[in-house]
Amino acid sequence: MFRTALRNVLAHKARLLMTILAVMLGVAFVSGTLVFTDTLGNAFRNQSAKSYDDIAVAVTTYADQRDKETEAVDEATLKKIRALDGVASATGRVDGFAGVADPDGKLIGNGWSNTGSNFAPGEDGRDPAYDFTSGKGPVEPGGVALDKDTARKGEYEVGDTVRVATNGPVKEYTLTGIFTTEDGAVNAGGSLVLFDTPVAQKLFLRPGEFKDVSVAAAPGASDEKLLAAVKPLLPKDAEAETGKVRADKQAEDIESELSDLNKLLLAFAGVALFVGVFLIANTFTMLVAQRTKELALMRAVGASRRQVKRSVLLEAAVVGLIASVVGFAVGLGLATGLRSAMSLLGGKIPAGPLVISPVTVIAAFAVGVLITVLAAWLPARRAAKIPPVAAMNSAHAVATVKSLVVRNTIGGVITLLGTAAIVGGAAKAGSDGQLLIAGGTFVALIGVIVLIPLLSRPVIALVRPLLRRLFGVSGKLAAQNAVRNPRRTGATASALAIGLTLVTGISVLGVTLGQAVDKVTTDNVKADYVVSMASGGPLDEAALTALEKADGVTAASPQQAVWLTIGGQGVSASGVTPGDVQQVLTIDTVAGSLDTLEKGQIAVAEKTAKSHGWKPGDTVSVTYDDKQKETLKVGALYEDNEFLSPVLVPRATVAPHEGKGDIQEVWVKTDGGASAANEQALVDALGDNPGMSIMDRQDIRDMFGGGVNLAMNIMYGLLGMALIIAVLGVVNTLAMSVFERQQEIGMLRAIGLDRRRVKRMIRLEAVVISLFGALVGIGLGLFLGWAIGQTVAAEIPQYVLVIPWGRIAVFLLLAGAVGVLAALWPARSAARLNMLTAIKTE
């Protein structure tokens, strides 16, 4: 039976190639994903371990320049650590945001990964954390050193003047050296600026203090003993651990961060395999149908049902094995390509070999072979039931009424269960509702796939008159051929239906959320610009002053983060500029007047006021972060707003208690609205600071809609994969259909159907099948988009379901294009058939 299975595989090379390609795609994504994430994880783990090779004890404090309560490590403590037995050296570090301008004045890097630190040379004048390729480290206030990549991007050489932005005004420094580093921020596409230690302390902490300390051990000294000796010397909030423990923790963090990427890439593999199942099952179903007489004769000469079934499953296993071998090889290429792509996008990946673990190999081959065998199980079972008498009659191939009733009943029940779960999830809302919808969607998809053969007849019957009227005989025959074998049509259309269900659902949700976010932005933001630090940190007070005085600025109000304690409960508040805040943000007053802000009174969001029982005229006792208490009067209540904190307080009121103030952003209104001239005026007012971000309204919309757009792009990637597999499925179906209908096509040619019309018939059949799958998928996707939308509607103001008719039209056009492309080879084969030879074919 093994020889028979192998012979059958070799006898149908062209037909099984499509199946191999479908399985190969899934295996390639599984193996490629696992190899890529293993390689990435191993490289970063090795890098982390390397960075802590010479560190016996790592000390971390959470000291901050704005937080005077949390202690740092001072010079005296650092000297005591250096004096301990077994300590070879102890290096103090401070760090914070530091951004470098490129030749055009723009920030090099992405803001959050632009860091600055101190150059800490030992007795030999070298800092062991950095290897200088040219120049030397900064040892005077006016010098800085840059990492090699940042210097290259900025076209800087030793001796050049470099403009560096920190949380204060931008300053110019002389470049003293260029170095290489394994710093994680640089590897993430950011930059690293080294300052002289006193300068760095003044910029990022306080003079004479360090955030972190790295302790190197003398030869023979125990890391654990050093740790025990260092701990008693540290401030109460400091943490200390051995370098090995710190490296292990970083490795765990890296693994956790990579897991999300791993899940995303495996989702692509899952879609490919799920869609591929239908192609495989369809292929083997058609192969079994075409070999009816062969299988029946095998039964007649003594083969048992078990042997026939085993023969088909062995054939599937051989196909799965071949696909797995090819897919695994493609997966290695995919892993290498992903690594190169990350480097091109600015992420610096540490050097290291591809990691191919036994688990990856076993998973890839298990997936390929098991999926293929499982998909072929039903066709194999059907083949085993063929009675020997079928060698003379193929009547068994026609599905019985009983089997169709059973199939449709099961499909209907499964679909109803899935639909009920989706509706229940929509009613439940929140994350629990979304989980219920996810489960219901999977069940509903299975049910619809089972029901697709039943759906094909009425749906295709609707377009039959149109096909006949537009394309004559070719159109009529195409419609009839599409429903001749509903199971085959359904299985072929399923691949496209699955992909379009996902993509339509996310498109509906994405467009709806996008418009809701856009409307919230349009309705609530009057400002022309919002200014913030690229790092996400607080703005300096000087920036607000500069913006208020800038040319063309008519109003400027910050959102200064303030934390108040009222009645024992913490309440988030914003320090704002009275009068200006109403001009930059839409604040709908419910009671009282916002003009009272100018009198030192506060304004409270409606929900917060209701929860505390406040109304205009009430007084509340508040406690600030500095523990000082004050009684404030409620002057107004306003509607809850996405862009405002629950409480608005005049900046003058909170200024005595907030020190420098935590100004996260400043909203700016300009004379004449957003324009190139007004934006340049803001840039000039801020000292052409590359560390500051100036966004107009469109930028704000893009920022809030970024996550939605990313999700939609991922789904479009899934659609692309589904389309590839759908093309393979339609090609396979049509090729086998042409093979089965050789005699029929020969007869049609003999009675006058020319080659052009034969090609058109096959093409139209493919288009009809593809559009049928697309319609089913779009219908399910619209329902899914509505359901998911209901789970988040309560959290999003102005949520209104939007159906993206334009995109749906594009999806239908793509489905039609799939049909046309898939039919090219089968249509050409059908048109080239010799009519006399075809008529004689049995």
Side-chain angles (χ1 to χ4, degrees):
M1 296 307 292
F2 178 76
R3 285 198 299 272
T4 302
L6 190 60
R7 178 183 62 79
N8 288 329
V9 170
L10 297 175
H12 303 94
K13 300 183 192 72
R15 298 173 210 166
L16 291 173
L17 178 63
M18 307 298 176
T19 305
I20 289 172
L21 286 173
V23 180
M24 181 205 76
L25 278 173
V27 173
F29 268 93
V30 170
S31 57
T33 295
L34 295 176
V35 169
F36 175 65
T37 51
D38 284 350
T39 299
L40 221 58
N42 181 68
F44 280 118
R45 278 193 297 273
N46 288 342
Q47 180 195 58
S48 177
K50 183 181 176 183
S51 63
Y52 285 98
D53 265 350
D54 299 323
I55 296 177
V57 178
V59 178
T60 302
T61 73
Y62 298 95
D64 185 85
Q65 193 174 39
R66 309 168 69 82
D67 179 11
K68 296 180 180 179
E69 293 185 6
T70 305
E71 294 181 60
V73 176
D74 57 23
E75 289 279 4
T77 303
L78 188 59
K79 286 179 181 178
K80 290 178 183 177
I81 294 172
R82 286 172 178 160
L84 291 173
D85 289 338
V87 172
S89 65
T91 305
R93 301 283 182 194
V94 288
D95 59 65
F97 168 72
V100 179
D102 67 11
D104 297 324
K106 303 296 183 183
L107 183 69
I108 298 174
N110 46 31
W112 60 267
S113 61
N114 295 114
T115 57
S117 188
N118 61 302
F119 176 67
E123 293 180 0
D124 58 357
R126 293 180 63 254
D127 188 327
Y130 311 106
D131 294 320
F132 280 80
T133 58
S134 62
K136 59 183 181 180
V139 291
E140 293 182 359
V144 292
L146 297 179
D147 68 90
K148 187 176 180 180
D149 288 342
T150 301
R152 176 180 55 79
K153 292 173 185 175
E155 301 177 7
Y156 290 118
E157 295 181 356
V158 173
D160 288 349
T161 299
V162 182
R163 298 180 69 249
V164 181
T166 56
N167 286 332
V170 63
K171 293 182 180 180
E172 292 186 346
Y173 298 86
T174 300
L175 183 62
T176 64
I178 297 171
F179 58 89
T180 59
T181 177
E182 295 296 332
D183 186 274
V186 176
N187 287 332
S191 62
L192 178 60
V193 184
L194 295 182
F195 300 88
D196 179 40
T197 295
V199 173
Q201 289 174 326
K202 185 178 179 181
L203 286 172
F204 304 129
L205 192 57
R206 290 176 288 272
E209 295 185 351
F210 299 95
K211 280 187 181 180
D212 308 315
V213 176
S214 300
V215 181
S222 165
D223 292 357
E224 284 73 18
K225 287 182 179 179
L226 278 181
L227 176 63
V230 167
K231 275 187 174 181
L233 303 177
L234 301 176
K236 62 178 181 179
D237 295 322
E239 290 182 0
E241 52 201 355
T242 63
K244 184 180 183 309
V245 170
R246 179 66 60 85
D248 290 343
K249 283 186 177 179
Q250 281 198 3
E252 288 177 11
D253 293 340
I254 290 165
E255 204 122 331
S256 175
E257 289 172 8
L258 289 175
S259 67
D260 292 336
L261 177 63
N262 200 25
K263 290 172 185 173
L264 173 63
L265 294 173
L266 286 176
F268 279 80
V271 169
L273 291 167
F274 186 54
V275 174
V277 164
F278 301 100
L279 190 155
I280 298 163
N282 213 17
T283 300
F284 278 93
T285 297
M286 289 185 283
L287 286 174
V288 166
Q290 290 174 12
R291 288 157 46 197
T292 296
K293 291 186 178 181
E294 176 190 329
L295 295 172
L297 285 171
M298 286 174 63
R299 291 288 314 282
V301 296
S304 66
R305 288 187 175 185
R306 181 178 295 177
Q307 286 177 308
V308 170
K309 183 178 178 181
R310 192 182 300 159
S311 171
V312 177
L313 291 178
L314 278 171
E315 189 176 337
V318 171
V319 171
L321 187 62
I322 294 170
S324 298
V325 171
V326 178
F328 188 77
V330 173
L332 295 181
L334 180 65
T336 304
L338 284 171
R339 185 170 175 172
S340 300
M342 284 190 70
S343 297
L344 289 173
L345 292 172
K348 186 179 175 184
I349 310 301
L354 281 180
V355 177
I356 306 172
S357 69
V359 173
T360 299
V361 177
I362 293 168
F365 280 82
V367 163
V369 175
L370 284 177
I371 288 291
T372 311
V373 170
L374 286 173
W377 182 80
L378 276 177
R381 186 170 174 270
R382 216 172 283 135
K385 288 185 175 181
I386 298 175
V389 73
M392 302 300 295
N393 187 349
S394 61
H396 72 285
V398 180
T400 64
V401 174
K402 180 181 177 182
S403 69
L404 291 175
V405 169
V406 170
R407 178 190 178 109
N408 294 335
T409 302
I410 292 172
V413 170
I414 294 173
T415 304
L416 285 173
L417 287 173
T419 303
I422 293 172
V423 173
K428 195 176 183 67
S431 57
D432 292 340
Q434 289 163 10
L435 286 173
L436 195 56
I437 289 172
T441 301
F442 181 77
V443 173
L445 271 175
I446 298 296
V448 169
I449 287 163
V450 174
L451 280 177
I452 269 187
L454 176 66
L455 297 172
S456 64
R457 288 186 182 276
V459 173
I460 294 175
L462 292 174
V463 299
R464 188 181 298 170
L466 181 64
L467 289 173
R468 186 186 304 147
R469 191 158 44 249
L470 292 176
F471 303 103
V473 174
S474 296
K476 178 181 178 181
L477 292 172
Q480 290 176 343
N481 291 332
V483 294
R484 177 182 293 183
N485 191 329
R487 282 184 174 176
R488 183 184 300 174
T489 298
T492 306
S494 295
L496 206 54
I498 294 167
L500 280 172
T501 296
L502 297 173
V503 174
T504 304
I506 202 68
S507 292
V508 170
L509 188 64
V511 171
T512 300
L513 291 178
Q515 289 201 14
V517 168
D518 193 62
K519 187 166 177 52
V520 166
T521 304
T522 304
D523 290 352
N524 292 300
V525 176
K526 293 180 182 178
D528 298 310
Y529 299 98
V530 60
V531 179
S532 60
M533 289 299 297
S535 63
L539 283 161
D540 191 85
E541 186 84 21
L544 174 60
T545 304
L547 288 170
E548 290 172 337
K549 296 178 180 178
D551 292 340
V553 172
T554 57
S557 177
Q559 287 251 40
Q560 179 178 331
V562 179
W563 190 253
L564 305 176
T565 302
I566 304 174
Q569 294 182 355
V571 178
S572 174
S574 288
V576 297
T577 303
D580 285 13
V581 69
Q582 298 98 306
Q583 296 182 53
V584 296
L585 293 170
T586 300
I587 309 175
D588 295 322
T589 308
V590 176
S593 172
L594 290 171
D595 293 338
T596 56
L597 286 170
E598 297 184 22
K599 301 175 182 178
Q601 299 179 18
I602 63 173
V604 184
E606 188 177 14
K607 289 181 181 177
T608 302
K610 189 175 181 180
S611 66
H612 288 83
W614 297 336
K615 60 183 183 299
D618 289 350
T619 56
V620 295
S621 177
V622 304
T623 303
Y624 296 100
D625 262 356
D626 63 357
K627 308 304 180 186
Q628 296 295 310
K629 294 184 179 181
E630 188 174 3
T631 300
L632 299 175
K633 188 175 182 179
V634 178
L637 304 184
Y638 58 89
E639 289 184 9
D640 289 75
N641 188 311
E642 292 292 311
F643 293 88
L644 293 169
S645 297
V647 177
L648 301 183
V649 188
R651 288 194 68 243
T653 301
V654 299
H657 309 282
E658 291 293 322
K660 289 187 176 181
D662 188 359
I663 302 174
Q664 293 297 318
E665 58 199 26
V666 178
W667 298 88
V668 180
K669 184 78 174 173
T670 56
D671 186 15
S675 66
N678 281 335
E679 184 171 344
Q680 188 59 48
L682 298 184
V683 170
D684 294 341
L686 294 169
D688 195 13
N689 192 326
M692 292 186 183
S693 166
I694 301 174
M695 294 190 295
D696 59 21
R697 288 195 194 185
Q698 187 56 52
D699 294 329
I700 297 168
R701 291 190 189 111
D702 294 342
M703 178 181 67
F704 282 100
V708 174
N709 293 331
L710 176 63
M712 290 178 69
N713 289 334
I714 291 170
M715 284 295 128
Y716 291 145
L718 293 176
L719 171 63
M721 183 175 300
L723 284 175
I724 292 170
I725 298 176
V727 168
L728 298 176
V730 178
V731 170
N732 223 9
T733 297
L734 291 177
M736 293 191 173
S737 178
V738 168
F739 177 82
E740 290 175 357
R741 288 153 42 196
Q742 287 186 65
Q743 188 177 55
E744 175 190 319
I745 293 170
M747 289 294 293
L748 290 170
R749 291 287 316 282
I751 61 175
L753 196 69
D754 59 22
R755 288 185 174 181
R756 183 171 56 84
R757 289 180 179 175
V758 168
K759 284 184 179 179
R760 184 185 297 165
M761 176 184 73
I762 301 298
R763 288 196 198 103
L764 288 173
E765 183 180 344
V767 171
V768 166
I769 292 172
S770 297
L771 288 177
F772 167 59
L775 286 171
V776 171
I778 288 170
L780 277 172
L782 290 173
F783 177 53
L784 184 60
W786 164 82
I788 298 175
Q790 292 303 303
T791 65
V792 297
E795 301 171 13
I796 300 174
Q798 326 239 351
Y799 179 93
V800 178
L801 183 69
V802 178
I803 298 177
W805 295 112
R807 298 190 189 196
I808 288 173
V810 171
F811 297 157
L812 287 171
L813 287 173
L814 281 174
V818 165
V820 172
L821 290 172
L824 289 176
W825 175 51
R828 186 168 177 270
S829 300
R832 295 180 66 183
L833 283 175
N834 183 294
M835 67 179 75
L836 295 177
T837 304
I839 290 171
K840 290 188 293 182
T841 302
E842 294 186 5

